Amino acid sequence: MQTSAKNVVRERVKVEIAEPTEEGFGADVEFVEDRTLNGLSEAVIANSYPHDYPHRYRHPVLFVVDTIAASTSGHPVLVVNLNAWVDAEPFRALARQVQSIQNNLSLANMDYLEFARSTDADGIFRGF
């Protein structure tokens, strides 16, 4: 994919993540571009970030828009646990589900494992 096409897809995914839900909920996320993650596997990305929330990070999860997210329908972003008290593997979630995950985690309505265990057979969380 050419750079301009990548930028268009990246912006489309950001809009999907930032757009409020039908109920009016928005995601409290920070968009950061980290080119050092380009081409890395899910495992390497996940292992690059120590589980050190709330001491080191503002958010308990990292949402990564990687090549899979950019090239797959629904833009399934990689969700990486950063919480020191949760032992769970990364999973994928449709970009439109980032609000639900972020909102529920920040309010302690749900925990990371509830989302991770609610993925479909392909490892993607599509909602409840």
mmCIF file with all atom_site columns, all heavy atoms in Angstrom, residues 67-88:
data_model
loop_
_atom_site.group_PDB
_atom_site.id
_atom_site.type_symbol
_atom_site.label_atom_id
_atom_site.label_alt_id
_atom_site.label_comp_id
_atom_site.label_asym_id
_atom_site.label_entity_id
_atom_site.label_seq_id
_atom_site.pdbx_PDB_ins_code
_atom_site.Cartn_x
_atom_site.Cartn_y
_atom_site.Cartn_z
_atom_site.occupancy
_atom_site.B_iso_or_equiv
_atom_site.pdbx_formal_charge
_atom_site.auth_seq_id
_atom_site.auth_comp_id
_atom_site.auth_asym_id
_atom_site.auth_atom_id
_atom_site.pdbx_PDB_model_num
ATOM 1   N N   . THR A 1 67 ? -0.868  -3.215  10.293 1.00 0.00 ? 67 THR A N   1
ATOM 2   C CA  . THR A 1 67 ? -1.180  -3.602  8.918  1.00 0.00 ? 67 THR A CA  1
ATOM 3   C C   . THR A 1 67 ? -2.463  -4.412  8.839  1.00 0.00 ? 67 THR A C   1
ATOM 4   O O   . THR A 1 67 ? -3.260  -4.217  7.923  1.00 0.00 ? 67 THR A O   1
ATOM 5   C CB  . THR A 1 67 ? -0.007  -4.408  8.316  1.00 0.00 ? 67 THR A CB  1
ATOM 6   O OG1 . THR A 1 67 ? 1.174   -3.610  8.406  1.00 0.00 ? 67 THR A OG1 1
ATOM 7   C CG2 . THR A 1 67 ? -0.265  -4.774  6.877  1.00 0.00 ? 67 THR A CG2 1
ATOM 8   N N   . ILE A 1 68 ? -2.676  -5.305  9.790  1.00 0.00 ? 68 ILE A N   1
ATOM 9   C CA  . ILE A 1 68 ? -3.906  -6.110  9.791  1.00 0.00 ? 68 ILE A CA  1
ATOM 10  C C   . ILE A 1 68 ? -5.119  -5.204  9.962  1.00 0.00 ? 68 ILE A C   1
ATOM 11  O O   . ILE A 1 68 ? -6.109  -5.330  9.236  1.00 0.00 ? 68 ILE A O   1
ATOM 12  C CB  . ILE A 1 68 ? -3.851  -7.190  10.883 1.00 0.00 ? 68 ILE A CB  1
ATOM 13  C CG1 . ILE A 1 68 ? -2.778  -8.216  10.528 1.00 0.00 ? 68 ILE A CG1 1
ATOM 14  C CG2 . ILE A 1 68 ? -5.215  -7.867  11.069 1.00 0.00 ? 68 ILE A CG2 1
ATOM 15  C CD1 . ILE A 1 68 ? -2.483  -9.224  11.621 1.00 0.00 ? 68 ILE A CD1 1
ATOM 16  N N   . ALA A 1 69 ? -5.058  -4.274  10.902 1.00 0.00 ? 69 ALA A N   1
ATOM 17  C CA  . ALA A 1 69 ? -6.177  -3.358  11.122 1.00 0.00 ? 69 ALA A CA  1
ATOM 18  C C   . ALA A 1 69 ? -6.444  -2.502  9.886  1.00 0.00 ? 69 ALA A C   1
ATOM 19  O O   . ALA A 1 69 ? -7.594  -2.268  9.526  1.00 0.00 ? 69 ALA A O   1
ATOM 20  C CB  . ALA A 1 69 ? -5.906  -2.467  12.326 1.00 0.00 ? 69 ALA A CB  1
ATOM 21  N N   . ALA A 1 70 ? -5.384  -2.067  9.245  1.00 0.00 ? 70 ALA A N   1
ATOM 22  C CA  . ALA A 1 70 ? -5.531  -1.198  8.084  1.00 0.00 ? 70 ALA A CA  1
ATOM 23  C C   . ALA A 1 70 ? -6.045  -1.926  6.853  1.00 0.00 ? 70 ALA A C   1
ATOM 24  O O   . ALA A 1 70 ? -6.687  -1.320  5.994  1.00 0.00 ? 70 ALA A O   1
ATOM 25  C CB  . ALA A 1 70 ? -4.198  -0.529  7.770  1.00 0.00 ? 70 ALA A CB  1
ATOM 26  N N   . SER A 1 71 ? -5.810  -3.227  6.775  1.00 0.00 ? 71 SER A N   1
ATOM 27  C CA  . SER A 1 71 ? -6.145  -3.947  5.548  1.00 0.00 ? 71 SER A CA  1
ATOM 28  C C   . SER A 1 71 ? -7.329  -4.903  5.675  1.00 0.00 ? 71 SER A C   1
ATOM 29  O O   . SER A 1 71 ? -7.671  -5.577  4.725  1.00 0.00 ? 71 SER A O   1
ATOM 30  C CB  . SER A 1 71 ? -4.915  -4.732  5.063  1.00 0.00 ? 71 SER A CB  1
ATOM 31  O OG  . SER A 1 71 ? -4.556  -5.705  6.023  1.00 0.00 ? 71 SER A OG  1
ATOM 32  N N   . THR A 1 72 ? -7.966  -4.947  6.836  1.00 0.00 ? 72 THR A N   1
ATOM 33  C CA  . THR A 1 72 ? -9.058  -5.883  7.078  1.00 0.00 ? 72 THR A CA  1
ATOM 34  C C   . THR A 1 72 ? -10.362 -5.123  7.309  1.00 0.00 ? 72 THR A C   1
ATOM 35  O O   . THR A 1 72 ? -10.371 -4.094  7.990  1.00 0.00 ? 72 THR A O   1
ATOM 36  C CB  . THR A 1 72 ? -8.745  -6.753  8.321  1.00 0.00 ? 72 THR A CB  1
ATOM 37  O OG1 . THR A 1 72 ? -7.483  -7.389  8.119  1.00 0.00 ? 72 THR A OG1 1
ATOM 38  C CG2 . THR A 1 72 ? -9.803  -7.811  8.541  1.00 0.00 ? 72 THR A CG2 1
ATOM 39  N N   . SER A 1 73 ? -11.438 -5.635  6.788  1.00 0.00 ? 73 SER A N   1
ATOM 40  C CA  . SER A 1 73 ? -12.752 -5.031  6.970  1.00 0.00 ? 73 SER A CA  1
ATOM 41  C C   . SER A 1 73 ? -13.073 -4.869  8.452  1.00 0.00 ? 73 SER A C   1
ATOM 42  O O   . SER A 1 73 ? -12.828 -5.766  9.255  1.00 0.00 ? 73 SER A O   1
ATOM 43  C CB  . SER A 1 73 ? -13.809 -5.925  6.307  1.00 0.00 ? 73 SER A CB  1
ATOM 44  O OG  . SER A 1 73 ? -15.087 -5.411  6.534  1.00 0.00 ? 73 SER A OG  1
ATOM 45  N N   . GLY A 1 74 ? -13.609 -3.718  8.818  1.00 0.00 ? 74 GLY A N   1
ATOM 46  C CA  . GLY A 1 74 ? -13.920 -3.432  10.210 1.00 0.00 ? 74 GLY A CA  1
ATOM 47  C C   . GLY A 1 74 ? -12.743 -2.911  10.994 1.00 0.00 ? 74 GLY A C   1
ATOM 48  O O   . GLY A 1 74 ? -12.874 -2.494  12.125 1.00 0.00 ? 74 GLY A O   1
ATOM 49  N N   . HIS A 1 75 ? -11.573 -2.956  10.401 1.00 0.00 ? 75 HIS A N   1
ATOM 50  C CA  . HIS A 1 75 ? -10.334 -2.457  11.003 1.00 0.00 ? 75 HIS A CA  1
ATOM 51  C C   . HIS A 1 75 ? -10.114 -2.984  12.422 1.00 0.00 ? 75 HIS A C   1
ATOM 52  O O   . HIS A 1 75 ? -10.111 -2.228  13.391 1.00 0.00 ? 75 HIS A O   1
ATOM 53  C CB  . HIS A 1 75 ? -10.301 -0.931  10.972 1.00 0.00 ? 75 HIS A CB  1
ATOM 54  C CG  . HIS A 1 75 ? -10.535 -0.378  9.610  1.00 0.00 ? 75 HIS A CG  1
ATOM 55  N ND1 . HIS A 1 75 ? -9.635  -0.538  8.575  1.00 0.00 ? 75 HIS A ND1 1
ATOM 56  C CD2 . HIS A 1 75 ? -11.579 0.302   9.082  1.00 0.00 ? 75 HIS A CD2 1
ATOM 57  C CE1 . HIS A 1 75 ? -10.100 0.022   7.485  1.00 0.00 ? 75 HIS A CE1 1
ATOM 58  N NE2 . HIS A 1 75 ? -11.278 0.542   7.755  1.00 0.00 ? 75 HIS A NE2 1
ATOM 59  N N   . PRO A 1 76 ? -9.895  -4.295  12.553 1.00 0.00 ? 76 PRO A N   1
ATOM 60  C CA  . PRO A 1 76 ? -9.682  -4.878  13.886 1.00 0.00 ? 76 PRO A CA  1
ATOM 61  C C   . PRO A 1 76 ? -8.324  -4.482  14.474 1.00 0.00 ? 76 PRO A C   1
ATOM 62  O O   . PRO A 1 76 ? -7.285  -5.015  14.107 1.00 0.00 ? 76 PRO A O   1
ATOM 63  C CB  . PRO A 1 76 ? -9.761  -6.384  13.641 1.00 0.00 ? 76 PRO A CB  1
ATOM 64  C CG  . PRO A 1 76 ? -9.377  -6.556  12.204 1.00 0.00 ? 76 PRO A CG  1
ATOM 65  C CD  . PRO A 1 76 ? -9.843  -5.307  11.501 1.00 0.00 ? 76 PRO A CD  1
ATOM 66  N N   . VAL A 1 77 ? -8.363  -3.515  15.381 1.00 0.00 ? 77 VAL A N   1
ATOM 67  C CA  . VAL A 1 77 ? -7.143  -3.024  16.021 1.00 0.00 ? 77 VAL A CA  1
ATOM 68  C C   . VAL A 1 77 ? -6.654  -4.035  17.051 1.00 0.00 ? 77 VAL A C   1
ATOM 69  O O   . VAL A 1 77 ? -7.438  -4.802  17.608 1.00 0.00 ? 77 VAL A O   1
ATOM 70  C CB  . VAL A 1 77 ? -7.361  -1.650  16.686 1.00 0.00 ? 77 VAL A CB  1
ATOM 71  C CG1 . VAL A 1 77 ? -7.759  -0.610  15.663 1.00 0.00 ? 77 VAL A CG1 1
ATOM 72  C CG2 . VAL A 1 77 ? -8.379  -1.720  17.793 1.00 0.00 ? 77 VAL A CG2 1
ATOM 73  N N   . LEU A 1 78 ? -5.372  -4.031  17.281 1.00 0.00 ? 78 LEU A N   1
ATOM 74  C CA  . LEU A 1 78 ? -4.765  -4.889  18.294 1.00 0.00 ? 78 LEU A CA  1
ATOM 75  C C   . LEU A 1 78 ? -4.947  -4.224  19.648 1.00 0.00 ? 78 LEU A C   1
ATOM 76  O O   . LEU A 1 78 ? -4.641  -3.043  19.818 1.00 0.00 ? 78 LEU A O   1
ATOM 77  C CB  . LEU A 1 78 ? -3.280  -5.086  17.987 1.00 0.00 ? 78 LEU A CB  1
ATOM 78  C CG  . LEU A 1 78 ? -2.489  -5.974  18.943 1.00 0.00 ? 78 LEU A CG  1
ATOM 79  C CD1 . LEU A 1 78 ? -3.018  -7.407  18.917 1.00 0.00 ? 78 LEU A CD1 1
ATOM 80  C CD2 . LEU A 1 78 ? -1.002  -5.937  18.579 1.00 0.00 ? 78 LEU A CD2 1
ATOM 81  N N   . VAL A 1 79 ? -5.471  -4.977  20.627 1.00 0.00 ? 79 VAL A N   1
ATOM 82  C CA  . VAL A 1 79 ? -5.693  -4.459  21.979 1.00 0.00 ? 79 VAL A CA  1
ATOM 83  C C   . VAL A 1 79 ? -4.692  -5.149  22.895 1.00 0.00 ? 79 VAL A C   1
ATOM 84  O O   . VAL A 1 79 ? -4.723  -6.364  23.064 1.00 0.00 ? 79 VAL A O   1
ATOM 85  C CB  . VAL A 1 79 ? -7.142  -4.727  22.447 1.00 0.00 ? 79 VAL A CB  1
ATOM 86  C CG1 . VAL A 1 79 ? -7.378  -4.102  23.819 1.00 0.00 ? 79 VAL A CG1 1
ATOM 87  C CG2 . VAL A 1 79 ? -8.150  -4.220  21.426 1.00 0.00 ? 79 VAL A CG2 1
ATOM 88  N N   . VAL A 1 80 ? -3.796  -4.353  23.480 1.00 0.00 ? 80 VAL A N   1
ATOM 89  C CA  . VAL A 1 80 ? -2.719  -4.878  24.314 1.00 0.00 ? 80 VAL A CA  1
ATOM 90  C C   . VAL A 1 80 ? -2.949  -4.447  25.756 1.00 0.00 ? 80 VAL A C   1
ATOM 91  O O   . VAL A 1 80 ? -3.098  -3.259  26.041 1.00 0.00 ? 80 VAL A O   1
ATOM 92  C CB  . VAL A 1 80 ? -1.340  -4.358  23.826 1.00 0.00 ? 80 VAL A CB  1
ATOM 93  C CG1 . VAL A 1 80 ? -0.219  -4.866  24.722 1.00 0.00 ? 80 VAL A CG1 1
ATOM 94  C CG2 . VAL A 1 80 ? -1.107  -4.752  22.372 1.00 0.00 ? 80 VAL A CG2 1
ATOM 95  N N   . ASN A 1 81 ? -2.955  -5.405  26.655 1.00 0.00 ? 81 ASN A N   1
ATOM 96  C CA  . ASN A 1 81 ? -3.105  -5.145  28.078 1.00 0.00 ? 81 ASN A CA  1
ATOM 97  C C   . ASN A 1 81 ? -1.836  -4.510  28.640 1.00 0.00 ? 81 ASN A C   1
ATOM 98  O O   . ASN A 1 81 ? -0.732  -4.987  28.398 1.00 0.00 ? 81 ASN A O   1
ATOM 99  C CB  . ASN A 1 81 ? -3.390  -6.469  28.802 1.00 0.00 ? 81 ASN A CB  1
ATOM 100 C CG  . ASN A 1 81 ? -3.328  -6.334  30.299 1.00 0.00 ? 81 ASN A CG  1
ATOM 101 O OD1 . ASN A 1 81 ? -3.935  -5.435  30.864 1.00 0.00 ? 81 ASN A OD1 1
ATOM 102 N ND2 . ASN A 1 81 ? -2.595  -7.214  30.942 1.00 0.00 ? 81 ASN A ND2 1
ATOM 103 N N   . LEU A 1 82 ? -2.004  -3.436  29.408 1.00 0.00 ? 82 LEU A N   1
ATOM 104 C CA  . LEU A 1 82 ? -0.877  -2.789  30.088 1.00 0.00 ? 82 LEU A CA  1
ATOM 105 C C   . LEU A 1 82 ? -1.009  -2.875  31.602 1.00 0.00 ? 82 LEU A C   1
ATOM 106 O O   . LEU A 1 82 ? -0.117  -2.433  32.331 1.00 0.00 ? 82 LEU A O   1
ATOM 107 C CB  . LEU A 1 82 ? -0.786  -1.312  29.670 1.00 0.00 ? 82 LEU A CB  1
ATOM 108 C CG  . LEU A 1 82 ? -0.593  -1.022  28.195 1.00 0.00 ? 82 LEU A CG  1
ATOM 109 C CD1 . LEU A 1 82 ? -0.632  0.478   27.939 1.00 0.00 ? 82 LEU A CD1 1
ATOM 110 C CD2 . LEU A 1 82 ? 0.692   -1.622  27.675 1.00 0.00 ? 82 LEU A CD2 1
ATOM 111 N N   . ASN A 1 83 ? -2.112  -3.417  32.073 1.00 0.00 ? 83 ASN A N   1
ATOM 112 C CA  . ASN A 1 83 ? -2.423  -3.454  33.500 1.00 0.00 ? 83 ASN A CA  1
ATOM 113 C C   . ASN A 1 83 ? -1.554  -4.467  34.233 1.00 0.00 ? 83 ASN A C   1
ATOM 114 O O   . ASN A 1 83 ? -1.532  -5.647  33.895 1.00 0.00 ? 83 ASN A O   1
ATOM 115 C CB  . ASN A 1 83 ? -3.903  -3.784  33.701 1.00 0.00 ? 83 ASN A CB  1
ATOM 116 C CG  . ASN A 1 83 ? -4.374  -3.513  35.102 1.00 0.00 ? 83 ASN A CG  1
ATOM 117 O OD1 . ASN A 1 83 ? -3.652  -3.717  36.071 1.00 0.00 ? 83 ASN A OD1 1
ATOM 118 N ND2 . ASN A 1 83 ? -5.606  -3.046  35.211 1.00 0.00 ? 83 ASN A ND2 1
ATOM 119 N N   . ALA A 1 84 ? -0.883  -4.003  35.262 1.00 0.00 ? 84 ALA A N   1
ATOM 120 C CA  . ALA A 1 84 ? 0.020   -4.855  36.036 1.00 0.00 ? 84 ALA A CA  1
ATOM 121 C C   . ALA A 1 84 ? -0.710  -5.979  36.759 1.00 0.00 ? 84 ALA A C   1
ATOM 122 O O   . ALA A 1 84 ? -0.115  -6.999  37.079 1.00 0.00 ? 84 ALA A O   1
ATOM 123 C CB  . ALA A 1 84 ? 0.792   -4.005  37.043 1.00 0.00 ? 84 ALA A CB  1
ATOM 124 N N   . TRP A 1 85 ? -2.010  -5.807  37.025 1.00 0.00 ? 85 TRP A N   1
ATOM 125 C CA  . TRP A 1 85 ? -2.765  -6.809  37.793 1.00 0.00 ? 85 TRP A CA  1
ATOM 126 C C   . TRP A 1 85 ? -3.563  -7.762  36.929 1.00 0.00 ? 85 TRP A C   1
ATOM 127 O O   . TRP A 1 85 ? -4.320  -8.577  37.440 1.00 0.00 ? 85 TRP A O   1
ATOM 128 C CB  . TRP A 1 85 ? -3.694  -6.105  38.783 1.00 0.00 ? 85 TRP A CB  1
ATOM 129 C CG  . TRP A 1 85 ? -2.913  -5.277  39.755 1.00 0.00 ? 85 TRP A CG  1
ATOM 130 C CD1 . TRP A 1 85 ? -2.120  -5.742  40.766 1.00 0.00 ? 85 TRP A CD1 1
ATOM 131 C CD2 . TRP A 1 85 ? -2.806  -3.877  39.776 1.00 0.00 ? 85 TRP A CD2 1
ATOM 132 N NE1 . TRP A 1 85 ? -1.530  -4.702  41.428 1.00 0.00 ? 85 TRP A NE1 1
ATOM 133 C CE2 . TRP A 1 85 ? -1.939  -3.524  40.842 1.00 0.00 ? 85 TRP A CE2 1
ATOM 134 C CE3 . TRP A 1 85 ? -3.352  -2.844  39.017 1.00 0.00 ? 85 TRP A CE3 1
ATOM 135 C CZ2 . TRP A 1 85 ? -1.614  -2.218  41.159 1.00 0.00 ? 85 TRP A CZ2 1
ATOM 136 C CZ3 . TRP A 1 85 ? -3.025  -1.536  39.336 1.00 0.00 ? 85 TRP A CZ3 1
ATOM 137 C CH2 . TRP A 1 85 ? -2.164  -1.244  40.390 1.00 0.00 ? 85 TRP A CH2 1
ATOM 138 N N   . VAL A 1 86 ? -3.408  -7.668  35.617 1.00 0.00 ? 86 VAL A N   1
ATOM 139 C CA  . VAL A 1 86 ? -4.162  -8.528  34.707 1.00 0.00 ? 86 VAL A CA  1
ATOM 140 C C   . VAL A 1 86 ? -3.181  -9.306  33.846 1.00 0.00 ? 86 VAL A C   1
ATOM 141 O O   . VAL A 1 86 ? -2.319  -8.722  33.203 1.00 0.00 ? 86 VAL A O   1
ATOM 142 C CB  . VAL A 1 86 ? -5.106  -7.695  33.803 1.00 0.00 ? 86 VAL A CB  1
ATOM 143 C CG1 . VAL A 1 86 ? -5.828  -8.582  32.815 1.00 0.00 ? 86 VAL A CG1 1
ATOM 144 C CG2 . VAL A 1 86 ? -6.092  -6.901  34.648 1.00 0.00 ? 86 VAL A CG2 1
ATOM 145 N N   . ASP A 1 87 ? -3.331  -10.623 33.854 1.00 0.00 ? 87 ASP A N   1
ATOM 146 C CA  . ASP A 1 87 ? -2.488  -11.477 33.016 1.00 0.00 ? 87 ASP A CA  1
ATOM 147 C C   . ASP A 1 87 ? -3.346  -11.976 31.862 1.00 0.00 ? 87 ASP A C   1
ATOM 148 O O   . ASP A 1 87 ? -4.121  -12.917 32.032 1.00 0.00 ? 87 ASP A O   1
ATOM 149 C CB  . ASP A 1 87 ? -1.935  -12.645 33.833 1.00 0.00 ? 87 ASP A CB  1
ATOM 150 C CG  . ASP A 1 87 ? -0.957  -13.491 33.031 1.00 0.00 ? 87 ASP A CG  1
ATOM 151 O OD1 . ASP A 1 87 ? -0.372  -12.965 32.064 1.00 0.00 ? 87 ASP A OD1 1
ATOM 152 O OD2 . ASP A 1 87 ? -0.799  -14.674 33.369 1.00 0.00 ? 87 ASP A OD2 1
ATOM 153 N N   . ALA A 1 88 ? -3.248  -11.306 30.726 1.00 0.00 ? 88 ALA A N   1
ATOM 154 C CA  . ALA A 1 88 ? -4.082  -11.663 29.577 1.00 0.00 ? 88 ALA A CA  1
ATOM 155 C C   . ALA A 1 88 ? -3.360  -11.335 28.277 1.00 0.00 ? 88 ALA A C   1
ATOM 156 O O   . ALA A 1 88 ? -2.605  -10.364 28.197 1.00 0.00 ? 88 ALA A O   1
ATOM 157 C CB  . ALA A 1 88 ? -5.405  -10.920 29.640 1.00 0.00 ? 88 ALA A CB  1
#
